[in-house]
Amino acid sequence: MRDLQCVLGRMTLQQCILDKGRIDFKMKKSDSTKSLLIKSEQLLRIEDHDFAMRPGFGGAAIPVGIDVQVESIDSISEVNMDFTMTLYLRHYWQDDRLAFPSSSKKSRTFDARLVKKIWVPDVFFVHSKRSFIHDTTMENIMLRVYPDGNILYSVRITVTALCAMDFSSFPLDTQKCSLELESYAYNENDLMLYWKNGNDSLRTDEIVLSQFFIEEFHPSYGLAFYSSTGWYNRLYINFILRRHIFFFMLQTYFPTMLMVMLSWVSFWIDRRAVPARVSLGITTVLTMSTIITGVSASMPQVSYVKAVDIYLWASFLFVFLSVIEYAAVNYFTTVEEMKKLKGGKIPADFNATQTMAFDGCYHDNDIDLTPFPELPSTPNTERSRTATSRNSAAEPPPTEGTRLRRKKSIKHNLSFIMSNSYMIDSYSRVVFPMTYLMFNIIYWSLYS
């Protein structure tokens, strides 16, 4: 009716404007979500409250629910013993100071600009080394306020946190890491952190890692005590990582096995081919040293022995012993030939250079080993033989358990090995592979 009077000119212009303002004010008061004339600060009455204080200050602790969605695990560093994770961290709580009237019960969503003007939980990551909130193209922060004062606060964060790893079984290991959340300023008397939906509060996207397989993701809850400030609620994001072994099989174990087997080739090379056997032994030793150095460079400097260290150093010992084996063979061969040369069993006109011209070595059957001629008997020699026989008859024969018999046995065996040095190579062809096979069976049984 008043609108018709305004149109007919029965009311002044000033009266028409005042009536229009009263109508708009009634509409704002009845349903503020349908009005675009009120600013967000006015709608939420931000200026009327002190948001430096938590909701319900002085009363019971305010419950803050937490919900996490893990987007990715970006990296896992064994050297630094940490991991980097990107996640969506969502907070749920109620602040009656931000309630507003709405007939449709619809929420209002805001960005980071309004977050700085209200109270939000001060959750931080325990044992974190660095973290940041993504800001492309704007800060990845969302604030959703419901008419009854319930609030959803979500941020997208990348955090690098410490993980205490145990490398005693590396690379056949399983690592247990956790990301810990806690309020920095409010202890359990002021703020109560909890998982909003229990075990369903932690969700993950499909995560694929190059060196690890994620066995389990699960949340947990606990308390942390600080001597100066008291008890604090702490939430844990726990995950178990099992390492893929195939990468290390290709990079470490298979090359190591091949180097050990290559060192056994020297057992089939003639013992007098010194350049061939020495060069092969030195090559395998240096290659094993390179593999060990490369593995150590990619690992933290821990004070205990790792599983890969046991395998590498045991393999290095096999390679080293193959070099020592040839040193023993070469020494016994040289001693044997020197004895033959001094005893006159090697002819003076024997030319070793011509004999080695064809295959790089000479053999025992190339040497005419003629027996010594018998010495003519003289009265002195007959007298010495008679004295020796008398002493032998006077002395009782030693028993089997006496030390004299053992000394003669050891000396006899050593003399037999020195006079038949080629047998060391023959035994090594069997002993080395069988021992290494037994070592591998025990190793993989313990750690796999």
Side-chain angles (χ1 to χ4, degrees), residues 180-381:
E180 304 172 10
L181 294 83
E182 183 182 309
S183 173
Y184 189 83
Y186 300 99
N187 58 25
E188 64 173 354
N189 297 323
D190 292 320
L191 189 146
M192 183 183 67
L193 281 180
Y194 68 97
W195 291 109
K196 180 175 176 57
N197 299 315
N199 292 332
D200 296 332
S201 301
L202 180 60
R203 294 184 292 272
T204 61
D205 295 339
E206 185 177 356
I207 301 175
V208 179
L209 301 176
S210 59
Q211 291 191 24
F212 291 93
F213 172 75
I214 302 177
E215 288 189 342
E216 185 180 357
F217 253 113
H218 68 276
S220 62
Y221 170 85
L223 291 172
F225 177 74
Y226 299 91
S227 59
S228 57
T229 53
W231 293 90
Y232 290 77
N233 298 121
R234 181 175 293 184
L235 304 181
Y236 299 87
I237 302 173
N238 305 300
F239 55 98
I240 300 176
L241 303 173
R242 180 168 54 85
R243 195 182 305 272
H244 293 303
I245 187 60
F246 188 69
F247 170 80
F248 294 94
M249 292 295 295
L250 293 178
Q251 297 295 322
T252 303
Y253 286 99
F254 285 159
T256 301
M257 293 178 185
L258 292 177
M259 285 301 104
V260 175
M261 295 178 184
L262 183 61
S263 68
W264 301 338
V265 176
S266 63
F267 302 150
W268 276 265
I269 301 176
D270 192 274
R271 64 184 185 278
R272 295 184 181 88
V274 178
R277 294 189 67 163
V278 170
S279 60
L280 179 60
I282 296 300
T283 301
T284 52
V285 168
L286 293 178
T287 304
M288 283 299 303
S289 301
T290 303
I291 294 175
I292 293 174
T293 304
V295 172
S296 300
S298 60
M299 292 296 299
Q301 305 300 318
V302 295
S303 59
Y304 50 85
V305 179
K306 302 181 289 292
V308 69
D309 294 334
I310 295 176
Y311 194 89
L312 290 177
W313 283 104
S315 300
F316 182 84
L317 180 62
F318 276 91
V319 174
F320 181 75
L321 289 177
S322 67
V323 179
I324 298 301
E325 184 269 349
Y326 175 62
V329 170
N330 183 266
Y331 173 75
F332 292 148
T333 303
T334 304
V335 171
E336 179 186 359
E337 292 174 355
M338 290 300 293
K339 285 183 177 180
K340 292 178 181 179
L341 183 62
K342 289 179 180 180
K345 293 187 178 182
I346 299 179
D349 59 347
F350 176 73
N351 192 343
T353 306
Q354 294 178 359
T355 308
M356 297 178 65
F358 295 97
D359 58 354
C361 61
Y362 62 89
H363 307 276
D364 294 337
N365 54 9
D366 296 330
I367 307 173
D368 186 13
L369 301 178
T370 58
F372 284 113
E374 291 187 3
L375 296 176
S377 41
T378 61
N380 293 332
T381 57

Side-chain angles (χ1 to χ4, degrees), residues 62-75:
I62 175 175
V64 176
I66 297 295
D67 186 346
V68 173
Q69 180 173 349
V70 179
E71 181 181 348
S72 64
I73 298 178
D74 303 321
S75 65

